[in-house]
Amino acid sequence: MREVDRVLLNTDAVAEVRRHTAQFAAERGRRPRVFVLTFGCQQNVADSEKLSGMACEMGYEVVTAPENAELILVNTCAIREHAEKRALSIVGQYKHLKEQNKGLIIGVCGCMVVQEHRREQLKKSYPYVDFVLGTSVLHRLPEILAKKLAQKRRIFGSEEENAIAEGVPICRESNYRAWVSIMYGCNNFCSYCIVPYVRGRERSRAPADVIAEVKELVAKGYKDITLLGQNVNSYGKGEAHGMDFADLLERLDAIEGDFILRFMTSHPKDATRKLVDVMAGGKHIAHHFHLPLQSGSDAILKQMNRHYDRAAYLDILDYMREKMPDLAVTSDIIVGFPGETDADFEDTLAMLQRARFDMIYSFIYSPRKGTPAAEMADQIPKEVSAKRFERLLALQEALSLAANEPLLHKTLRVLCDGASKTDTGMLSGRTEQNKIVFWPDDGTEAGAWVWVEIDRVAPFALYGNKVK
Ligand code: SAH
Ligand code: SF4
Ligand code: F3S
């Protein structure tokens, strides 16, 4: 029914690079090192774990700093201009590492380099970059590396493939939280968004492959598993197996073990009552829904090509809350989309008040080359967007605090993430609703479940004490 090939890793290329890394190890008394730097969304985090996994398989040691690495892979994001600028600036800083170590190989991977103009820019202005590798061909890392090691030429072609690679080794950063990509690409073409251009058409992994991966993770003791896709509700569309996302989730929920299942992201136009029912009836499925609204104005939603309006959004939202009173809902909002009037923006604020999200990720609209919105008349001046952005943040802060207030004095189950990065002497973790919780360090290890009684709530965090 579908035209998507299932491809496997090129073992000949892996063996070829292994010969090189073995020789390096024999001469230097240590394995060559790989450093992978990740920008962008969870999908990219998951992709980077595959880049590290392949590098490990080829004999590299994964390290956490670029200095003294023999291979640097920068996994880029193109969602907003800021993300591209940061990646380019960091790649620029690697110039001096290359000067110190002529044998260093630098590869730029991911969403940014699928765009022709960025590949050209890297080729012309960043002569120390050795190769680029687009999102759909990441599993070709062994071939590219083998080629690069055999010859001095730089490799800047990007033949994207409409394929799904299975069996790519994954070097996971955590041993208790895991990402599982269930589908790739996006067909929605929201008018502002670059993703469909850099991630290609939607394609779903076979249910058996996803189920096997989740089973293996649970058996290894993973506690928190997130299913990933740009629009998980499109899972299985056009496939012969006839399983949709709700069906898949139900099958995964039936796996025995002590774990919670999450998923992201859902598109409101495809979020079904069937999915909500599966969530509400599940044993393992977290009561957290990330449902990007983008704008509260029907006129802007239409210009964004989102295919829903406020009423449809609220309809599914109200249904979710009715079925799961403890549900946390988070969302994404863009301010300053072309043509957004003061009245449109007020509609967004009104929707926030009505929807009572637990948290939002908010963004100032960033024009993306090649997308329809970038060509639209009436681009909003920076100062106007910035003012709106401030008002949005202020309102949401109050709403987030109000959403957390009912949790005061409650005892919540928390998955510990270890020492807090901001508060010394404190541990942090997350609840099933994905709320961040801090409590005094009592030696609890990362990856353990604890119960914490909340004695203080803030807009974006909860504080308390572990219950013995
Ligand atoms: N597939 C997901 C998320 C994609 S990117 C979804 O549809 O929800 C994550 C978020 O980045 C989007 O939800 C959107 O809010 C934001 N975003 C995407 N393109 C953007 C742009 N050009 N400028 C500003 N924010 C953007
Ligand atoms: Fe972008 Fe829209 Fe696809 Fe999300 S659904 S990735 S916002 S095009
Ligand atoms: Fe960025 Fe690509 Fe994700 S553009 S947001 S890394 S899909």
Side-chain angles (χ1 to χ4, degrees):
M1 216 168 148
R2 59 172 179 169
E3 294 295 314
V4 177
D5 292 330
R6 196 169 176 275
V7 297
L8 297 168
L9 211 58
N10 182 329
T11 45
D12 289 345
V14 171
E16 212 169 311
V17 180
R18 279 193 85 95
R19 274 194 290 279
H20 169 87
T21 53
Q23 192 187 340
F24 181 100
E27 285 166 11
R28 305 278 292 272
R30 64 161 175 89
R31 285 190 290 159
R33 301 172 180 131
V34 60
F35 171 66
V36 182
L37 180 66
T38 311
F39 293 91
C41 63
Q42 297 318 334
Q43 200 92 57
N44 253 21
V45 173
D47 283 350
S48 286
E49 293 186 335
K50 290 185 182 156
L51 290 170
S52 303
M54 286 185 280
C56 267
E57 186 88 358
M58 292 184 284
Y60 285 87
E61 177 199 354
V62 179
V63 293
T64 53
E67 294 79 19
N68 308 316
E70 276 69 36
L71 173 63
I72 295 180
L73 300 171
V74 183
N75 197 9
T76 61
C77 170
I79 201 79
R80 284 168 289 275
E81 195 187 3
H82 181 67
E84 295 195 311
K85 281 201 164 148
R86 272 180 53 220
L88 287 169
S89 132
I90 294 221
V91 172
Q93 293 168 25
Y94 293 155
K95 183 181 176 191
H96 75 278
L97 294 180
K98 187 88 165 200
E99 282 160 1
Q100 288 160 17
N101 174 10
K102 291 279 182 275
L104 169 63
I105 295 179
I106 300 176
V108 184
C109 315
C111 293
M112 187 178 82
V113 303
V114 180
Q115 307 169 98
E116 173 125 34
H117 69 282
R118 291 298 184 196
R119 280 205 308 283
E120 281 306 309
Q121 182 183 6
L122 284 164
K123 193 171 167 185
K124 282 208 187 87
S125 312
Y126 298 75
Y128 40 91
V129 170
D130 295 286
F131 66 84
V132 297
L133 199 57
T135 52
S136 68
V137 286
L138 286 186
H139 57 282
R140 302 223 171 264
L141 178 67
E143 286 146 77
I144 296 273
L145 218 48
K147 211 161 144 189
K148 180 65 215 167
L149 290 164
Q151 53 157 55
K152 289 289 150 241
R153 271 210 345 261
R154 302 164 73 210
I155 305 164
F156 276 80
S158 181
E159 294 100 49
E160 295 298 313
E161 290 169 15
N162 192 33
I164 285 190
E166 288 295 347
V168 175
I170 303 174
C171 173
R172 298 187 192 269
E173 274 177 34
S174 161
N175 58 9
Y176 59 95
R177 289 190 197 275
W179 314 107
V180 176
S181 293
I182 62 166
M183 58 185 301
Y184 304 94
C186 181
N187 287 354
N188 286 318
F189 290 95
C190 301
S191 63
Y192 49 82
C193 185
I194 197 72
V195 171
Y197 306 89
V198 296
R199 288 255 169 201
R201 294 294 60 73
E202 262 170 26
R203 51 215 186 273
S204 301
R205 290 177 70 195
D209 290 329
V210 175
I211 294 166
E213 185 172 338
V214 173
K215 272 191 178 155
E216 190 189 326
L217 289 167
V218 172
K220 281 184 176 159
Y222 278 85
K223 298 288 192 310
D224 188 310
I225 298 169
T226 305
L227 310 174
L228 293 180
Q230 287 303 340
N231 179 12
V232 291
N233 294 298
S234 294
Y235 178 82
K237 264 189 197 164
E239 304 286 334
H241 57 68
M243 249 204 212
D244 67 12
F245 180 60
D247 299 328
L248 178 73
L249 201 58
E250 199 164 25
R251 290 284 298 275
L252 296 171
D253 186 57
I255 296 171
E256 295 291 331
D258 172 26
F259 68 101
I260 56 177
L261 266 178
R262 307 178 183 280
F263 56 88
M264 59 191 287
T265 301
S266 290
H267 194 302
K269 77 174 164 58
D270 302 312
T272 60
R273 290 187 174 219
K274 178 180 169 188
L275 169 62
V276 174
D277 294 343
V278 167
M279 278 179 86
K283 290 197 303 279
H284 298 289
I285 308 162
H287 284 186
H288 169 215
F289 214 108
H290 183 62
L291 194 64
L293 169 66
Q294 312 299 0
S295 168
S297 152
D298 285 346
I300 295 295
L301 286 172
K302 203 167 172 65
Q303 288 300 307
M304 287 177 161
N305 196 32
R306 290 287 287 179
H307 295 283
Y308 57 83
D309 58 13
R310 279 185 295 181
Y313 187 96
L314 290 173
D315 183 60
I316 190 74
L317 179 69
D318 290 346
Y319 185 72
M320 284 175 194
R321 290 225 166 101
E322 180 196 321
K323 291 282 161 175
M324 294 174 278
D326 64 340
L327 182 74
V329 184
T330 55
S331 198
D332 292 350
I333 302 285
I334 297 177
V335 300
F337 182 83
E340 184 186 74
T341 63
D342 285 336
D344 290 321
F345 178 65
E346 294 300 331
D347 284 347
T348 296
L349 296 182
M351 264 300 266
L352 292 192
Q353 256 151 345
R354 166 69 171 79
R356 293 175 293 107
F357 297 122
D358 290 79
M359 200 200 47
I360 59 169
Y361 298 91
S362 32
F363 309 102
I364 292 182
Y365 168 72
S366 169
R368 305 286 63 212
K369 195 179 160 91
T371 62
E375 307 302 321
M376 285 179 188
D378 201 7
Q379 300 280 325
I380 306 299
K382 270 200 182 115
E383 316 78 69
V384 175
S385 297
K387 276 213 180 96
R388 288 180 185 165
F389 191 67
E390 289 305 312
R391 283 186 62 200
L392 186 83
L393 293 186
L395 172 60
Q396 185 56 44
E397 192 171 326
L399 293 170
S400 290
L401 181 62
N404 282 346
E405 265 157 5
L407 299 174
L408 192 62
H409 307 310
K410 291 258 155 56
T411 300
L412 306 176
R413 192 175 181 231
V414 180
L415 182 58
C416 181
D417 283 312
S420 154
K421 289 186 188 82
T422 44
D423 291 327
T424 42
M426 301 288 273
L427 295 177
S428 81
R430 284 183 185 266
T431 68
E432 175 195 317
Q433 275 77 5
N434 214 29
K435 305 256 178 189
I436 202 161
V437 178
F438 295 93
W439 70 99
D441 193 346
D442 61 318
T444 305
E445 303 249 343
W449 292 109
V450 291
W451 291 90
V452 177
E453 188 182 347
I454 304 304
D455 58 21
R456 184 160 73 87
V457 300
F460 307 112
L462 310 172
Y463 300 83
N465 284 291
K466 190 172 128 179
V467 178
K468 297 285 178 287

